Amino acid sequence: MKVYSRKEDIAKTISHLKADDFTVGMVPTMGALHQGHLQLVKRALNENDKVVVSVFVNPTQFDNEEDLVKYPRTLENDVELLKTVSKTDIIVYAPTVNDIYEGKTVSQSFDFDGLEFEMEGKFRTGHFDGVGTIVKRFFDIVKPHKAYFGEKDFQQLTIIKKLVEKHNIPVKIVGCKIHRETNGLAMSSRNTRLKPKYKAAAPFIYKTLKIAKEKFGTKSASKVSEWVEKQFANHGLLKLEYFLIADTETLKPIKRKSNKKTYRAFIAVYADDIRLIDNIALN
Ligand code: PAF
């Protein structure tokens, strides 16, 4: 399996592949790969001849220095894991910070039509500028036909669709279902940092989302939110940062239910110092 670190080298390889009529998919990741990532890679391999998996902990999307420093970096394991999926059709792109940012580790500033100010945008200053910067950079370098992102980061997925639309980037963005542990916990690279008692407590997040979905069938969004807030207020280990029900397209909090719209419930929770997010489709 080839592992590229220089943008010139990967760009050259991809342009040769495309000249030979191979289709190219891309799965951007920050590494510490888990089964959730592998599902994205498998889907990408089903729909493309070759798949580029980028492994890059992007500094500009972290608003918390400690989180950036502690983010797991496991490139060798990641490559071994990818080999279990395909030894021939996956290309790993693991650039250095300098190769990407060329001495200026700063984000470009984006206008995502307000999507960036909802939910995560309220709690993680500059996060989506950082994500937009790196994803646009990857698309410029790799020029994939399709790129795959998980619905766990639903706001990120929506923003990347907006990025591609507003900047006329010729790539199809494919959203993929959330991959969960058997206990319901959404898979995330951050889960590896959970201490055992928090790991045991964390499935409560999805359990609560499922009940919230059921309640949303008969109750107002504010009643459902009140109920969720109460569940976490009574929880000894998990601290709720936000729960809200939002329009799937605009990501704006619901005002009044309409059966012409689709909604999702979004949640962010602290388990000790680890921040976990999740979401569920409501209708
Ligand atoms: O979802 C992630 O892992 C990251 O935000 C992404 C899309 C790879 C950009 O760094």
Side-chain angles (χ1 to χ4, degrees), residues 92-109:
V92 177
Y93 177 37
T96 60
V97 171
N98 204 40
D99 196 59
I100 290 290
Y101 285 102
E102 298 169 347
K104 279 187 237 121
T105 315
V106 288
S107 305
Q108 199 180 322
S109 178

mmCIF file with all atom_site columns, all heavy atoms in Angstrom, residues 92-109:
data_model
loop_
_atom_site.group_PDB
_atom_site.id
_atom_site.type_symbol
_atom_site.label_atom_id
_atom_site.label_alt_id
_atom_site.label_comp_id
_atom_site.label_asym_id
_atom_site.label_entity_id
_atom_site.label_seq_id
_atom_site.pdbx_PDB_ins_code
_atom_site.Cartn_x
_atom_site.Cartn_y
_atom_site.Cartn_z
_atom_site.occupancy
_atom_site.B_iso_or_equiv
_atom_site.pdbx_formal_charge
_atom_site.auth_seq_id
_atom_site.auth_comp_id
_atom_site.auth_asym_id
_atom_site.auth_atom_id
_atom_site.pdbx_PDB_model_num
ATOM 1   N N   . VAL A 1 92  ? -2.919  5.855  0.606  1.00 0.00 ? 92  VAL A N   1
ATOM 2   C CA  . VAL A 1 92  ? -2.971  6.673  1.818  1.00 0.00 ? 92  VAL A CA  1
ATOM 3   C C   . VAL A 1 92  ? -2.236  7.990  1.553  1.00 0.00 ? 92  VAL A C   1
ATOM 4   O O   . VAL A 1 92  ? -1.158  8.010  0.970  1.00 0.00 ? 92  VAL A O   1
ATOM 5   C CB  . VAL A 1 92  ? -2.322  5.931  3.015  1.00 0.00 ? 92  VAL A CB  1
ATOM 6   C CG1 . VAL A 1 92  ? -2.302  6.802  4.261  1.00 0.00 ? 92  VAL A CG1 1
ATOM 7   C CG2 . VAL A 1 92  ? -3.075  4.632  3.291  1.00 0.00 ? 92  VAL A CG2 1
ATOM 8   N N   . TYR A 1 93  ? -2.878  9.059  1.980  1.00 0.00 ? 93  TYR A N   1
ATOM 9   C CA  . TYR A 1 93  ? -2.250  10.390 1.867  1.00 0.00 ? 93  TYR A CA  1
ATOM 10  C C   . TYR A 1 93  ? -2.120  10.956 3.280  1.00 0.00 ? 93  TYR A C   1
ATOM 11  O O   . TYR A 1 93  ? -3.128  11.288 3.910  1.00 0.00 ? 93  TYR A O   1
ATOM 12  C CB  . TYR A 1 93  ? -3.119  11.282 0.970  1.00 0.00 ? 93  TYR A CB  1
ATOM 13  C CG  . TYR A 1 93  ? -2.614  12.709 0.838  1.00 0.00 ? 93  TYR A CG  1
ATOM 14  C CD1 . TYR A 1 93  ? -1.251  12.987 0.775  1.00 0.00 ? 93  TYR A CD1 1
ATOM 15  C CD2 . TYR A 1 93  ? -3.503  13.774 0.774  1.00 0.00 ? 93  TYR A CD2 1
ATOM 16  C CE1 . TYR A 1 93  ? -0.792  14.296 0.659  1.00 0.00 ? 93  TYR A CE1 1
ATOM 17  C CE2 . TYR A 1 93  ? -3.058  15.081 0.647  1.00 0.00 ? 93  TYR A CE2 1
ATOM 18  C CZ  . TYR A 1 93  ? -1.698  15.332 0.597  1.00 0.00 ? 93  TYR A CZ  1
ATOM 19  O OH  . TYR A 1 93  ? -1.235  16.622 0.492  1.00 0.00 ? 93  TYR A OH  1
ATOM 20  N N   . ALA A 1 94  ? -0.891  10.996 3.784  1.00 0.00 ? 94  ALA A N   1
ATOM 21  C CA  . ALA A 1 94  ? -0.641  11.469 5.156  1.00 0.00 ? 94  ALA A CA  1
ATOM 22  C C   . ALA A 1 94  ? 0.364   12.619 5.103  1.00 0.00 ? 94  ALA A C   1
ATOM 23  O O   . ALA A 1 94  ? 1.561   12.409 5.333  1.00 0.00 ? 94  ALA A O   1
ATOM 24  C CB  . ALA A 1 94  ? -0.126  10.317 6.010  1.00 0.00 ? 94  ALA A CB  1
ATOM 25  N N   . PRO A 1 95  ? -0.105  13.811 4.784  1.00 0.00 ? 95  PRO A N   1
ATOM 26  C CA  . PRO A 1 95  ? 0.823   14.943 4.632  1.00 0.00 ? 95  PRO A CA  1
ATOM 27  C C   . PRO A 1 95  ? 1.290   15.492 5.974  1.00 0.00 ? 95  PRO A C   1
ATOM 28  O O   . PRO A 1 95  ? 0.697   15.204 7.019  1.00 0.00 ? 95  PRO A O   1
ATOM 29  C CB  . PRO A 1 95  ? -0.034  15.984 3.908  1.00 0.00 ? 95  PRO A CB  1
ATOM 30  C CG  . PRO A 1 95  ? -1.435  15.674 4.318  1.00 0.00 ? 95  PRO A CG  1
ATOM 31  C CD  . PRO A 1 95  ? -1.509  14.197 4.572  1.00 0.00 ? 95  PRO A CD  1
ATOM 32  N N   . THR A 1 96  ? 2.336   16.308 5.919  1.00 0.00 ? 96  THR A N   1
ATOM 33  C CA  . THR A 1 96  ? 2.753   17.023 7.130  1.00 0.00 ? 96  THR A CA  1
ATOM 34  C C   . THR A 1 96  ? 1.993   18.358 7.159  1.00 0.00 ? 96  THR A C   1
ATOM 35  O O   . THR A 1 96  ? 1.476   18.815 6.125  1.00 0.00 ? 96  THR A O   1
ATOM 36  C CB  . THR A 1 96  ? 4.256   17.342 7.093  1.00 0.00 ? 96  THR A CB  1
ATOM 37  O OG1 . THR A 1 96  ? 4.495   18.170 5.947  1.00 0.00 ? 96  THR A OG1 1
ATOM 38  C CG2 . THR A 1 96  ? 5.094   16.088 7.024  1.00 0.00 ? 96  THR A CG2 1
ATOM 39  N N   . VAL A 1 97  ? 1.988   18.980 8.333  1.00 0.00 ? 97  VAL A N   1
ATOM 40  C CA  . VAL A 1 97  ? 1.317   20.278 8.467  1.00 0.00 ? 97  VAL A CA  1
ATOM 41  C C   . VAL A 1 97  ? 1.965   21.281 7.503  1.00 0.00 ? 97  VAL A C   1
ATOM 42  O O   . VAL A 1 97  ? 1.275   22.053 6.822  1.00 0.00 ? 97  VAL A O   1
ATOM 43  C CB  . VAL A 1 97  ? 1.395   20.785 9.929  1.00 0.00 ? 97  VAL A CB  1
ATOM 44  C CG1 . VAL A 1 97  ? 0.895   22.220 10.050 1.00 0.00 ? 97  VAL A CG1 1
ATOM 45  C CG2 . VAL A 1 97  ? 0.592   19.879 10.852 1.00 0.00 ? 97  VAL A CG2 1
ATOM 46  N N   . ASN A 1 98  ? 3.268   21.215 7.398  1.00 0.00 ? 98  ASN A N   1
ATOM 47  C CA  . ASN A 1 98  ? 3.965   22.182 6.539  1.00 0.00 ? 98  ASN A CA  1
ATOM 48  C C   . ASN A 1 98  ? 3.654   21.985 5.058  1.00 0.00 ? 98  ASN A C   1
ATOM 49  O O   . ASN A 1 98  ? 3.531   22.948 4.297  1.00 0.00 ? 98  ASN A O   1
ATOM 50  C CB  . ASN A 1 98  ? 5.467   22.104 6.806  1.00 0.00 ? 98  ASN A CB  1
ATOM 51  C CG  . ASN A 1 98  ? 6.122   23.410 6.418  1.00 0.00 ? 98  ASN A CG  1
ATOM 52  O OD1 . ASN A 1 98  ? 5.564   24.482 6.663  1.00 0.00 ? 98  ASN A OD1 1
ATOM 53  N ND2 . ASN A 1 98  ? 7.271   23.325 5.771  1.00 0.00 ? 98  ASN A ND2 1
ATOM 54  N N   . ASP A 1 99  ? 3.503   20.728 4.669  1.00 0.00 ? 99  ASP A N   1
ATOM 55  C CA  . ASP A 1 99  ? 3.195   20.454 3.260  1.00 0.00 ? 99  ASP A CA  1
ATOM 56  C C   . ASP A 1 99  ? 1.824   21.021 2.880  1.00 0.00 ? 99  ASP A C   1
ATOM 57  O O   . ASP A 1 99  ? 1.605   21.502 1.772  1.00 0.00 ? 99  ASP A O   1
ATOM 58  C CB  . ASP A 1 99  ? 3.224   18.944 3.002  1.00 0.00 ? 99  ASP A CB  1
ATOM 59  C CG  . ASP A 1 99  ? 3.302   18.649 1.507  1.00 0.00 ? 99  ASP A CG  1
ATOM 60  O OD1 . ASP A 1 99  ? 4.274   19.091 0.870  1.00 0.00 ? 99  ASP A OD1 1
ATOM 61  O OD2 . ASP A 1 99  ? 2.375   18.012 0.982  1.00 0.00 ? 99  ASP A OD2 1
ATOM 62  N N   . ILE A 1 100 ? 0.907   20.995 3.841  1.00 0.00 ? 100 ILE A N   1
ATOM 63  C CA  . ILE A 1 100 ? -0.441  21.509 3.570  1.00 0.00 ? 100 ILE A CA  1
ATOM 64  C C   . ILE A 1 100 ? -0.472  23.029 3.714  1.00 0.00 ? 100 ILE A C   1
ATOM 65  O O   . ILE A 1 100 ? -0.999  23.748 2.863  1.00 0.00 ? 100 ILE A O   1
ATOM 66  C CB  . ILE A 1 100 ? -1.460  20.870 4.556  1.00 0.00 ? 100 ILE A CB  1
ATOM 67  C CG1 . ILE A 1 100 ? -1.651  19.386 4.238  1.00 0.00 ? 100 ILE A CG1 1
ATOM 68  C CG2 . ILE A 1 100 ? -2.790  21.607 4.557  1.00 0.00 ? 100 ILE A CG2 1
ATOM 69  C CD1 . ILE A 1 100 ? -2.387  19.091 2.958  1.00 0.00 ? 100 ILE A CD1 1
ATOM 70  N N   . TYR A 1 101 ? 0.083   23.538 4.815  1.00 0.00 ? 101 TYR A N   1
ATOM 71  C CA  . TYR A 1 101 ? -0.109  24.964 5.129  1.00 0.00 ? 101 TYR A CA  1
ATOM 72  C C   . TYR A 1 101 ? 1.065   25.854 4.709  1.00 0.00 ? 101 TYR A C   1
ATOM 73  O O   . TYR A 1 101 ? 0.977   27.074 4.829  1.00 0.00 ? 101 TYR A O   1
ATOM 74  C CB  . TYR A 1 101 ? -0.425  25.129 6.616  1.00 0.00 ? 101 TYR A CB  1
ATOM 75  C CG  . TYR A 1 101 ? -1.848  24.700 6.943  1.00 0.00 ? 101 TYR A CG  1
ATOM 76  C CD1 . TYR A 1 101 ? -2.120  23.482 7.532  1.00 0.00 ? 101 TYR A CD1 1
ATOM 77  C CD2 . TYR A 1 101 ? -2.923  25.534 6.616  1.00 0.00 ? 101 TYR A CD2 1
ATOM 78  C CE1 . TYR A 1 101 ? -3.423  23.082 7.810  1.00 0.00 ? 101 TYR A CE1 1
ATOM 79  C CE2 . TYR A 1 101 ? -4.227  25.138 6.895  1.00 0.00 ? 101 TYR A CE2 1
ATOM 80  C CZ  . TYR A 1 101 ? -4.470  23.919 7.492  1.00 0.00 ? 101 TYR A CZ  1
ATOM 81  O OH  . TYR A 1 101 ? -5.763  23.545 7.761  1.00 0.00 ? 101 TYR A OH  1
ATOM 82  N N   . GLU A 1 102 ? 2.137   25.238 4.265  1.00 0.00 ? 102 GLU A N   1
ATOM 83  C CA  . GLU A 1 102 ? 3.304   25.967 3.744  1.00 0.00 ? 102 GLU A CA  1
ATOM 84  C C   . GLU A 1 102 ? 3.734   27.130 4.642  1.00 0.00 ? 102 GLU A C   1
ATOM 85  O O   . GLU A 1 102 ? 3.866   28.270 4.195  1.00 0.00 ? 102 GLU A O   1
ATOM 86  C CB  . GLU A 1 102 ? 3.004   26.450 2.313  1.00 0.00 ? 102 GLU A CB  1
ATOM 87  C CG  . GLU A 1 102 ? 2.770   25.264 1.394  1.00 0.00 ? 102 GLU A CG  1
ATOM 88  C CD  . GLU A 1 102 ? 2.216   25.629 0.026  1.00 0.00 ? 102 GLU A CD  1
ATOM 89  O OE1 . GLU A 1 102 ? 1.781   26.778 -0.143 1.00 0.00 ? 102 GLU A OE1 1
ATOM 90  O OE2 . GLU A 1 102 ? 2.229   24.750 -0.843 1.00 0.00 ? 102 GLU A OE2 1
ATOM 91  N N   . GLY A 1 103 ? 3.885   26.814 5.940  1.00 0.00 ? 103 GLY A N   1
ATOM 92  C CA  . GLY A 1 103 ? 4.402   27.803 6.882  1.00 0.00 ? 103 GLY A CA  1
ATOM 93  C C   . GLY A 1 103 ? 3.348   28.743 7.458  1.00 0.00 ? 103 GLY A C   1
ATOM 94  O O   . GLY A 1 103 ? 3.630   29.452 8.420  1.00 0.00 ? 103 GLY A O   1
ATOM 95  N N   . LYS A 1 104 ? 2.117   28.745 6.886  1.00 0.00 ? 104 LYS A N   1
ATOM 96  C CA  . LYS A 1 104 ? 1.065   29.636 7.431  1.00 0.00 ? 104 LYS A CA  1
ATOM 97  C C   . LYS A 1 104 ? -0.122  28.787 7.872  1.00 0.00 ? 104 LYS A C   1
ATOM 98  O O   . LYS A 1 104 ? -1.041  28.531 7.089  1.00 0.00 ? 104 LYS A O   1
ATOM 99  C CB  . LYS A 1 104 ? 0.600   30.626 6.348  1.00 0.00 ? 104 LYS A CB  1
ATOM 100 C CG  . LYS A 1 104 ? 1.526   31.815 6.208  1.00 0.00 ? 104 LYS A CG  1
ATOM 101 C CD  . LYS A 1 104 ? 0.920   32.836 5.253  1.00 0.00 ? 104 LYS A CD  1
ATOM 102 C CE  . LYS A 1 104 ? 1.860   33.108 4.104  1.00 0.00 ? 104 LYS A CE  1
ATOM 103 N NZ  . LYS A 1 104 ? 1.369   32.832 2.772  1.00 0.00 ? 104 LYS A NZ  1
ATOM 104 N N   . THR A 1 105 ? -0.073  28.361 9.149  1.00 0.00 ? 105 THR A N   1
ATOM 105 C CA  . THR A 1 105 ? -1.124  27.453 9.624  1.00 0.00 ? 105 THR A CA  1
ATOM 106 C C   . THR A 1 105 ? -2.359  28.253 10.036 1.00 0.00 ? 105 THR A C   1
ATOM 107 O O   . THR A 1 105 ? -2.676  28.382 11.220 1.00 0.00 ? 105 THR A O   1
ATOM 108 C CB  . THR A 1 105 ? -0.575  26.590 10.789 1.00 0.00 ? 105 THR A CB  1
ATOM 109 O OG1 . THR A 1 105 ? 0.714   26.131 10.412 1.00 0.00 ? 105 THR A OG1 1
ATOM 110 C CG2 . THR A 1 105 ? -1.456  25.390 11.058 1.00 0.00 ? 105 THR A CG2 1
ATOM 111 N N   . VAL A 1 106 ? -3.048  28.798 9.055  1.00 0.00 ? 106 VAL A N   1
ATOM 112 C CA  . VAL A 1 106 ? -4.267  29.575 9.327  1.00 0.00 ? 106 VAL A CA  1
ATOM 113 C C   . VAL A 1 106 ? -5.364  29.134 8.368  1.00 0.00 ? 106 VAL A C   1
ATOM 114 O O   . VAL A 1 106 ? -5.095  28.609 7.290  1.00 0.00 ? 106 VAL A O   1
ATOM 115 C CB  . VAL A 1 106 ? -4.033  31.102 9.154  1.00 0.00 ? 106 VAL A CB  1
ATOM 116 C CG1 . VAL A 1 106 ? -3.185  31.672 10.268 1.00 0.00 ? 106 VAL A CG1 1
ATOM 117 C CG2 . VAL A 1 106 ? -3.423  31.414 7.800  1.00 0.00 ? 106 VAL A CG2 1
ATOM 118 N N   . SER A 1 107 ? -6.610  29.404 8.801  1.00 0.00 ? 107 SER A N   1
ATOM 119 C CA  . SER A 1 107 ? -7.759  29.033 7.969  1.00 0.00 ? 107 SER A CA  1
ATOM 120 C C   . SER A 1 107 ? -8.108  30.144 7.012  1.00 0.00 ? 107 SER A C   1
ATOM 121 O O   . SER A 1 107 ? -7.898  31.324 7.306  1.00 0.00 ? 107 SER A O   1
ATOM 122 C CB  . SER A 1 107 ? -9.006  28.842 8.832  1.00 0.00 ? 107 SER A CB  1
ATOM 123 O OG  . SER A 1 107 ? -8.785  27.935 9.828  1.00 0.00 ? 107 SER A OG  1
ATOM 124 N N   . GLN A 1 108 ? -8.724  29.726 5.932  1.00 0.00 ? 108 GLN A N   1
ATOM 125 C CA  . GLN A 1 108 ? -9.414  30.668 5.049  1.00 0.00 ? 108 GLN A CA  1
ATOM 126 C C   . GLN A 1 108 ? -10.746 30.977 5.750  1.00 0.00 ? 108 GLN A C   1
ATOM 127 O O   . GLN A 1 108 ? -11.195 30.188 6.584  1.00 0.00 ? 108 GLN A O   1
ATOM 128 C CB  . GLN A 1 108 ? -9.676  29.904 3.757  1.00 0.00 ? 108 GLN A CB  1
ATOM 129 C CG  . GLN A 1 108 ? -9.957  30.708 2.535  1.00 0.00 ? 108 GLN A CG  1
ATOM 130 C CD  . GLN A 1 108 ? -10.184 29.767 1.339  1.00 0.00 ? 108 GLN A CD  1
ATOM 131 O OE1 . GLN A 1 108 ? -9.525  28.742 1.206  1.00 0.00 ? 108 GLN A OE1 1
ATOM 132 N NE2 . GLN A 1 108 ? -11.124 30.135 0.495  1.00 0.00 ? 108 GLN A NE2 1
ATOM 133 N N   . SER A 1 109 ? -11.357 32.106 5.400  1.00 0.00 ? 109 SER A N   1
ATOM 134 C CA  . SER A 1 109 ? -12.628 32.425 6.034  1.00 0.00 ? 109 SER A CA  1
ATOM 135 C C   . SER A 1 109 ? -13.763 32.159 5.037  1.00 0.00 ? 109 SER A C   1
ATOM 136 O O   . SER A 1 109 ? -13.688 32.590 3.885  1.00 0.00 ? 109 SER A O   1
ATOM 137 C CB  . SER A 1 109 ? -12.519 33.894 6.431  1.00 0.00 ? 109 SER A CB  1
ATOM 138 O OG  . SER A 1 109 ? -13.653 34.309 6.981  1.00 0.00 ? 109 SER A OG  1
#
